[in-house]
Amino acid sequence: MAPPVSCFLLALLLSASCKVVTSLDPMCIEKEANKTYNCENLSLREIPDTLPNTTEFLEFGFNFLPTIQNTTFSRLIDLVFLDLTRCQINWIHEDTFQSHHQLNTIVLTGNPLIFMAETSLNGPRALKHLFLIQTGISNLEFIPVHNLENLESLYLGSNHISSMKLPGNFPTQNLKVLDFQNNALHYLSRQDMDALAVTNLSLNFDGNDIKGIDPGAFHSKVFQSLRFGGTLDLSVILKGLQNSTTQSLWLGTYEDADSQDLTPAMLEGLCDTSVESLNLQMHHFSDLSSTTFQCFTRLQELDLTATHLDELPSGIQGMNSLTKLVLNVNNFKQLCQINAASFPSLTDLYIKGNQKELDLGAGCLEKLENLRRLDLSHNVIKVPDCCNLQLKNLHHLQYLNLSYSGSIGLESEAFRECPELEVLDLAFTHLTIGALQSTFQNLPRLQALNLSHCLLDASNQHLLEGLADLRHLNLQGNRFQGGSISKTNLFQTVGSLEVLTVSSCELLSIDREAFHGLGRMTHLDLSHNNLTANSLDALGPLKGVHLDLASNSIRVIPPRLLPFLSQQSTINLSDNPLDCTCSNVHFITWFRENLQKLEASEETVCADPPAARGVRLAEVELSCGITAVGIFFLVVFFIFFTVLLVFLVKFLLRWKYQHI
Amino acid sequence: MKGFTATVLIWALTSPNGGGSQAWPTHTACKDGSLEILYQSCDPLQDFGFSIDQCSKHLESNLSIRFGMILREDIKELFLDISLLTEGASLLIYSYPVCEEDLPKFSFCGKKKGEQIYYAGPVNNYSFDIPQGEYQLLLKLYNENHSTVACANATVICS
């Protein structure tokens, strides 16, 4: 054979063997041994033999199974959850799940189903959740009804359903969630609704343009939640809901949906229905006045997120039962423009992400005596002396969120008006605090304080005075003078601390007595600083702590500090320039003996010597004892020395003898 | 032996790239006299379709776009990260919530894994003029678990 031909054959052979290698079964990802597997996106045409028979949770989406039948999954009889999203399934044949008694969830989203056999869902003893989203269904008779007695949720979104009429024998007794999102339902008839003989259902009609509802279709029915998101004409919905009872009614719209301005007349239907919680997000109100809200009197929760409000009208009558009001993403200029006096029973108030700079004014919320939670985060707020005037009379406030809120100057005893505060979040708000002021004085119940990235001088030892019950403190991203936590520091006044975060504070050192008196600590995060092993002396008083020292400058940990690490519960030392030479042998031995205590040990690697850079500490082999060659030379030296000694003694004795 | 090396070389060059996945083609999102926007999907799993209806150096507010893709994740929460570079230097990094539990801005919010999305409608942008030059844009859509929903490398050429 001519050489080029043989070469070509050889090359062909090589490429053939390569093909064999690439066509080997791609591997499923094991999430929990023998139980949970993810085989998505692997272009599989069958269940791989590598999956154990005991598999219970199987994510098998984005594979290729044009037909599924009783042999397809027959080996995996313990299946509880089966996700077959986008497997290009056309046919589900008879008795496909016959032997799967434990199966409770089947996901068939995004499959171009042509036909499901009458007995295709038989087998599972309690099939609870069925996802038939975007499967091309136009008629609900398509769904085989034989084994749906235990069904709790049925998802039918993004299909071509224009009538929600369920087949006569469709079992609804256990149904809790029925989801018709993004279909073509335009009319809800009385018969359709009567077929749903079940109370406390959650029904989702988002993205269906409902143009009509039979009068009385919802008469004396009770729902957990009803959603009609993106509906053009809300008056149709509200009239249709006459005499119904709903816990939560979602009537919001979207940026890409057409909607009509809301007039008082359109909202009249609300007077004849019983609704606890109402959402009207992104709508426009026309002629906003107190009459707009005349039918809102029985509401307990109202969400007006992004409804283009620049004020709420004064003189709204009868909204005494409202406990929660959401006014996020609106256009208020002053807090007083919400006319809070109309809602005397309010316990929760949210004004997040206001589109304009928000002036907190003085005493704007003083009529809200029952207020427990107040969220003013993500606003542009500029106050030089906060917060007693601004939060006047909020004596029962427990939760206050002022995070991401511009720049605030805190006066001394800044929260005197809210003595019951339990959680205070000031993260990412630029705080100005006088050097000797006790800002948080008189907050005996405060349990959690977030001061992360507040540009504070954390060396101010009076900062936390008066916080007798503080358990969680976050100081991430603030600065300590000289990059050091000294012996006298701000933690000394908060002995009840349990969780402390001092990460990303550019710390270089911690005094050995800095954490004295913090005996209740359970979590300490010192990550992302420049600490060295010298600072570990400070851990002496702490026991059983979850300790995070990741991303610091720790190189060698001397043996005397190892007991301080041993007495903690978990330790993270990842991303430190750890030394893997014999000078650190005690620590490395300790590390390998205490692997169960160590977190992120995969990322805990050597930086030195260069040969071991990147090697995981748990895998480093160090031999720092005397080597065999050393022992040999030592023995030789010892023998030589003995011989020399013997000769010397002999010589001395002889010399002595000769001189007698 | 020469022939053998040559064949192996030719085989190595022509056989499909077994290890690395193939790159998706570069598409044109819009093109007119002075402005051209090209993009390429950087999600190894799939490509997606995108176009901008109006294409000019002076970008109007509330641009209309068209967008089509298959979801590989639920999008109850969806965030968009944009980084803009020119000549290797970073000009702007921006993160924008598209869908949130307490504020689903668009009608497609809440769609489930496996669903197909086709969106034709406005995006909530400001109007501005694009200065002359070539820009690189990296766009990333991800959900609450930081799982990638879509990823695009785009080039904007404004002359």
Side-chain angles (χ1 to χ4, degrees), chain B residues 108-122:
Chain B
F108 56 73
C109 293
K111 283 208 174 197
K112 298 262 194 318
K113 177 176 109 182
E115 282 196 67
Q116 177 192 324
I117 285 191
Y118 175 70
Y119 176 77

Side-chain angles (χ1 to χ4, degrees), chain A residues 196-251:
Chain A
L196 285 173
V198 57
T199 54
N200 281 327
L201 190 67
S202 293
L203 257 176
N204 188 345
F205 295 111
D206 284 351
N208 288 276
D209 189 16
I210 307 282
K211 296 196 168 89
I213 300 178
D214 262 352
F218 287 77
H219 192 85
S220 55
K221 294 196 166 60
V222 180
F223 297 92
Q224 177 64 40
S225 90
L226 283 175
R227 294 182 66 101
F228 292 93
T231 305
L232 184 63
D233 189 355
L234 288 193
S235 54
V236 169
I237 308 288
L238 290 172
K239 275 194 194 107
L241 293 183
Q242 224 173 31
N243 287 319
S244 66
T245 305
T246 311
Q247 235 248 300
S248 150
L249 177 60
W250 208 91
L251 297 176

Side-chain angles (χ1 to χ4, degrees), chain A residues 428 450-455 473-479 501-505 525 527-528:
Chain A
F428 289 91
N450 189 346
L451 293 172
S452 59
H453 302 277
C454 289
L455 306 176
L473 174 64
N474 191 339
L475 283 172
Q476 182 176 31
N478 292 294
R479 291 240 184 120
T501 305
V502 209
S503 57
S504 308
C505 290
D525 184 353
S527 62
H528 297 92

Side-chain angles (χ1 to χ4, degrees), chain B residues 133-150:
Chain B
E134 192 174 316
Y135 306 91
Q136 279 78 48
L137 264 173
L138 179 63
L139 299 130
K140 234 178 203 165
L141 282 167
Y142 55 93
N143 73 357
E144 64 270 32
N145 308 320
H146 274 268
S147 307
T148 304
V149 173

Side-chain angles (χ1 to χ4, degrees), chain A residues 333-336 351 357-365 374 376 379-383 386-387 389-391 402 408:
Chain A
K333 282 189 185 135
Q334 226 224 10
L335 194 53
C336 287
I351 308 175
E357 184 178 329
L358 185 66
D359 174 7
L360 296 184
C364 293
L365 307 176
L374 176 61
L376 293 168
N379 292 318
V380 182
I381 296 175
K382 288 176 194 151
V383 199
C386 204
C387 296
L389 208 54
Q390 292 79 3
L391 304 178
L402 279 166
I408 293 179

Side-chain angles (χ1 to χ4, degrees), chain A residues 555 576-581 588 605-614 617 620:
Chain A
R555 301 177 60 83
N576 275 289
L578 290 165
D579 191 314
C580 294
T581 62
I588 291 169
V605 296
C606 305
D608 249 339
R613 189 167 296 157
L617 224 62
V620 165

Side-chain angles (χ1 to χ4, degrees), chain A residues 600-646:
Chain A
S601 61
E602 298 283 311
E603 287 90 51
T604 313
V605 296
C606 305
D608 249 339
R613 189 167 296 157
V615 176
R616 293 200 307 235
L617 224 62
E619 286 169 0
V620 165
E621 293 288 344
L622 266 190
S623 49
C624 297
I626 303 165
T627 60
V629 183
I631 290 169
F632 173 77
F633 277 110
L634 208 69
V635 168
V636 168
F637 176 75
F638 186 71
I639 292 169
F640 179 75
F641 185 75
T642 326
V643 170
L644 205 76
L645 205 72
V646 167

Side-chain angles (χ1 to χ4, degrees), chain B residues 22-86:
Chain B
Q22 227 175 309
W24 299 109
T26 302
H27 308 288
T28 309
C30 87
K31 187 178 180 175
D32 85 341
S34 57
L35 184 71
E36 189 175 3
I37 302 177
L38 306 168
Y39 74 93
Q40 183 185 32
S41 168
C42 41
D43 178 356
L45 289 174
Q46 65 176 8
D47 203 355
F48 68 90
F50 177 73
S51 78
I52 303 173
D53 283 4
Q54 172 251 8
C55 195
S56 105
K57 274 166 86 165
H58 173 74
L59 276 189
E60 302 285 338
S61 62
N62 266 336
L63 277 180
S64 279
I65 61 155
R66 298 191 312 125
F67 183 75
M69 71 172 298
I70 287 169
L71 287 177
R72 283 171 189 265
E73 301 290 338
D74 289 358
I75 52 164
K76 193 161 219 169
E77 308 240 308
L78 183 67
F79 307 95
L80 172 66
D81 278 6
I82 302 175
S83 22
L84 177 65
L85 299 104
T86 180

